Amino acid sequence: MYSELLHALPDVFALTNFAAVVIGVIAGIVVGAMPGLSATMAISVLVPFTFGLEPLVALGLMAGIYNGAMYGGAIPAVLLRIPGTPAAVATTFDGYPMAQKGEGGFALQVAVVSSAFGGIASAFALMLLAPPLSRVTLLFGPSEVFWVAVFGLASIIFLLGGNPVKGLISACFGVFVSVIGSDPIYGNDRFTFGQLEMLDGINIVILLVGLYALPPVMDLLETPLKTDGVNASKLGTVSIWKALPRMNYWKTWLRGSFIGIWIGILPGAGGSMAAFMSYNEARRTSKTPETWGEGEPEGVAAAEVANNADTASALIPALTLGIPGTAVAAVMLGGLLVHGLQPGPMLFRDNPDIVFGFMWQFLFGAILLILLGGSLATNSFARLLNLPRPLLGSVIIVLMLIGVYSIHGRMFDVYLMLGFGVIGWLMDRLKFPLPPVVLGLILGGFAEENLRLALRIGRGDPMILFQNVTSLVLVALTVAVIVGPTLKKRYVDSRRTA
Amino acid sequence: MLNIFKKTAIVGTMCIAAGAALAQDYPAKPIEVIVGYSAGGGTDVMARTAAPFIEKYLGDGASLVVKNMPGASGQIGVTEAANAAPDGYTLGTFNLPGMMARTIDRKADYDRDSFTYLANVVNDPNVIVTSKKSGLDTIEKLLEEAKANPGAITVGMSSLGGDDHFALIKLQNATETEFTIVPFKGSAPARTALLGGHVAMGILNISEVAEFQDQLNVLGVATRERSEFAPDLPTFQEQGLDLVNGSLRGFIAPAGLPEDVQAKLIDAFTQLKDDQEFLDAMAATANPVEIVTGDDFKQLTSELYDLASGVWETSPWN
């Protein structure tokens, strides 16, 4: 099973494939460092441009961007107390105080080494867990896949944090979009308004570019970022090889990696939740909890290791079952589909070199973080914050338009994308979460199709949905995700009043 | 006024002259081949594999440019090809029975008379497979079970109104049996469900199961003679069941192609039959070749249309 893993290695080192990872990591750091721009946005804008590329070049870019962006978010978090990506919020707690004390350089180095550690752990988890899991997935028939989709929808709504009602509304919008097009069984048109372009449903990349790229771009054009430049000028950076021995955070790194990997596998939650959990756990077990929040480097380590540890592991359910757990994993699945790679158990059988090569690229992307982000250029990446924002915004808009047009070569898709962009911007302003829309589109389609297939297999008898252990376990998990938070809140409240 | 007549006459003469010149010099510029599916799909691979060989037989430095116009199960692309100028510089790929079924189950801007039929190139015959779990490892056992418990056998297939579906209808009519159809979204998920034993039986195409013979029971192939693609698999006719059906992929041009252009194109396609290099390239991409050209191809399309509309009248699929 694992021999194919080694077999895929030489391809990864082909010049173009390796260069793709390097470029991806650098681009990812840049994107992550720009507040508002996220890995999801960068990869969705990129996907249409990868049609003509070799699969491993395209996937290497994506793996690099994902790893790079998760670290890049730490740069403004440390220097400006503005998280570059949502996952870097917990990094501000101790990173910014460190920068104020003139230790910004060390904070960034801790961030980059921790990010790399998390990324490496996550890549190993993907390599070790995905191949055996892909064999088990043959056990997942239509009724089981239906429950996985329902579980995923429930967790994205209830675990994302914030307001579950808004999450539910977002998810419902996504599910509605999944209904557009010909229905999966009979092929009847639904909400197509007679447009042939709508018959195949809404392409996930079009939705993603609209939702994830347009709102931040408008934000870039609208609000100038005030960089005081003070912290960036007193970084106090020493060579990373001198800084490394000061980092003795093995326990935090290991704990954060486990948390991040686990959160990544679960559908719904993502890097920000992993970072918070890891930070809280590390602080709880620390011998000196009073220094946390005042510039404790270990706090930066805890947050950054966890938000990188969910990167590759989020692909475990995506590659084996075809069900992405996070918005980024959803975009990557889109990237795989562009290259005719159908996720699921057959992926490992039909294209082992590509799928295992992709896993290696995650590993090397994480290792490259230390070299590119740490030793070479801590100081230069800190200057990214001074890039002219309106210029960047305009460049991204052009890329969005060209990319979406090139998917099918038609303007219809561009208008569709702009429409979703306006919706995304409104939702952003009204504080509706965006990930449930994306997962609603994907999981809603899965749920409908598989429910109908299961009912046909059961010849109309709904008991087919509860006929085996896997289904029942998934039902139990779904119920736990929905009522769990409420029960916990009640319990806490009752203790408080007692 | 006279001027206008003069101009019209001149332009008209020039057009006719151009038309005549066109036939002689054809092809004088790149020929566009519209593929109604995304790059990398079965039809796209066929078009891209065949293109250099067609260029070779058209001669004169002919060049074919594949243009993908995916969407609506190929309908967008084939509609574009049907409505293009019939000058031989726009060809299209054509899938049967899908393209004819779409004129029946949906509103379509083309019909069977919208095309000049050039050649069918690929015939991917249907196969009946059963999951190892089902225990139905011969066609007799399968039919026996289907007769004993009508509707109890679930059949995974890629979609309704496609070749898989018509093969099942033919099977049901020939054997007076009844099955429960489970239409997946494409043949890959249908095959995965078969491997996991979630459906008992499946109707797929030979290219899709050739590598899975040890994990599925392949009961037979719906061809007249054994397929060169997998010669060890028996046909249904050998087993006393008259079932011939498959998924066909070929090339069309808009209706009204000049006759000599049509002849030149059909001639190029005919020569593919004996080109070993071409046959090897197609075998390498899992495309069983069966070349049917011109009027025979048109006849084949008509037969499939009649079959589809007959099925539609008795049991519409949507």
Side-chain angles (χ1 to χ4, degrees), chain A residues 138-139 186 200 346 349 456, chain B residues 71-72 181 198 211 215 317:
Chain A
L138 278 185
L139 296 174
Y186 295 111
D200 288 336
M346 291 306 130
R349 180 196 158 108
R456 282 181 86 102
Chain B
I181 301 176
H198 304 289
E211 289 175 33
Q215 294 166 60
W317 52 84

Side-chain angles (χ1 to χ4, degrees), chain A residues 318-335:
Chain A
L319 292 178
T320 53
L321 278 174
I323 298 178
T326 59
V328 192
V331 201
M332 296 216 174
L333 273 195

Side-chain angles (χ1 to χ4, degrees), chain A residues 216-443:
Chain A
V217 162
M218 285 161 89
D219 196 49
L220 280 185
L221 298 178
E222 214 169 61
T223 44
L225 180 73
K226 282 228 172 81
T227 52
D228 50 14
V230 180
N231 290 330
S233 60
K234 50 165 190 178
L235 284 171
T237 318
V238 293
S239 153
I240 190 151
W241 308 116
K242 283 195 192 134
L244 264 179
R246 282 177 65 195
M247 300 178 201
N248 189 8
Y249 313 125
W250 292 101
K251 260 194 194 157
T252 301
W253 279 342
L254 281 176
R255 195 190 302 109
S257 297
F258 273 113
I259 293 173
I261 289 168
W262 177 240
I263 298 272
I265 295 175
L266 279 185
S272 50
M273 187 184 192
F276 275 117
M277 277 181 69
S278 169
Y279 184 85
N280 286 336
E281 279 301 298
R283 181 181 188 169
R284 201 172 56 79
T285 54
S286 167
K287 287 194 191 94
T288 53
E290 68 279 358
T291 61
W292 290 58
E294 313 270 306
E296 168 64 52
E298 195 158 0
V300 176
E304 282 297 308
V305 73
N307 71 24
N308 272 66
D310 84 324
T311 49
S313 71
L315 287 169
I316 294 174
L319 292 178
T320 53
L321 278 174
I323 298 178
T326 59
V328 192
V331 201
M332 296 216 174
L333 273 195
L336 283 169
L337 290 171
V338 160
H339 292 278
L341 304 167
Q342 184 73 42
M346 291 306 130
L347 182 64
F348 290 82
R349 180 196 158 108
D350 296 342
N351 302 90
D353 282 359
I354 292 173
V355 73
F356 289 111
F358 187 35
M359 294 179 184
W360 284 113
Q361 289 178 320
F362 260 97
L363 183 66
F364 293 126
I367 295 172
L368 279 168
L369 259 187
I370 301 188
L371 297 177
L372 294 171
S375 67
L376 282 185
T378 304
N379 286 347
S380 10
F381 280 124
R383 295 216 174 81
L384 283 176
L385 301 173
N386 300 327
L387 280 180
R389 287 160 63 89
L391 193 68
L392 196 68
S394 325
V395 170
I396 295 173
I397 284 194
V398 173
L399 290 177
M400 283 162 61
L401 296 177
I402 299 173
V404 166
Y405 178 79
S406 69
I407 297 175
H408 297 122
R410 55 195 190 205
M411 280 308 284
F412 185 86
D413 294 345
V414 176
Y415 301 137
L416 210 55
M417 182 273 285
L418 292 174
F420 280 122
V422 172
I423 294 172
W425 183 75
L426 288 174
M427 291 179 71
D428 205 41
R429 284 293 142 114
L430 299 173
K431 301 261 181 295
F432 279 92
L434 293 177
V437 182
V438 179
L439 292 196
L441 169 59
I442 295 179
L443 299 180

Side-chain angles (χ1 to χ4, degrees), chain A residues 200 407-408 410, chain B residues 35-39 67-74 76-77:
Chain A
D200 288 336
I407 297 175
H408 297 122
R410 55 195 190 205
Chain B
V35 175
Y37 299 88
S38 345
K67 181 181 177 191
N68 298 89
M69 294 187 71
S73 339
I76 292 179

Side-chain angles (χ1 to χ4, degrees), chain B residues 80-159:
Chain B
E80 182 81 8
N83 296 326
D87 54 8
Y89 291 104
T90 308
L91 312 181
T93 55
F94 195 69
N95 302 61
L96 286 171
M99 297 305 181
M100 283 298 109
R102 294 297 83 77
T103 65
I104 297 164
D105 65 12
R106 229 182 245 168
K107 191 183 141 302
D109 290 330
Y110 67 92
D111 58 30
R112 58 179 150 167
D113 297 322
S114 306
F115 304 105
T116 303
Y117 291 86
L118 300 175
N120 183 64
V121 174
V122 170
N123 182 355
D124 200 353
N126 291 113
V127 289
I128 292 180
V129 295
T130 55
S131 88
K132 290 275 185 201
K133 270 190 199 166
S134 68
L136 306 166
D137 55 359
T138 63
I139 192 87
E140 289 85 34
K141 282 189 200 167
L142 178 77
L143 294 176
E144 209 171 287
E145 170 68 18
K147 275 174 189 155
N149 298 306
I153 299 180
T154 47
V155 187
M157 56 175 63
S158 63
S159 65

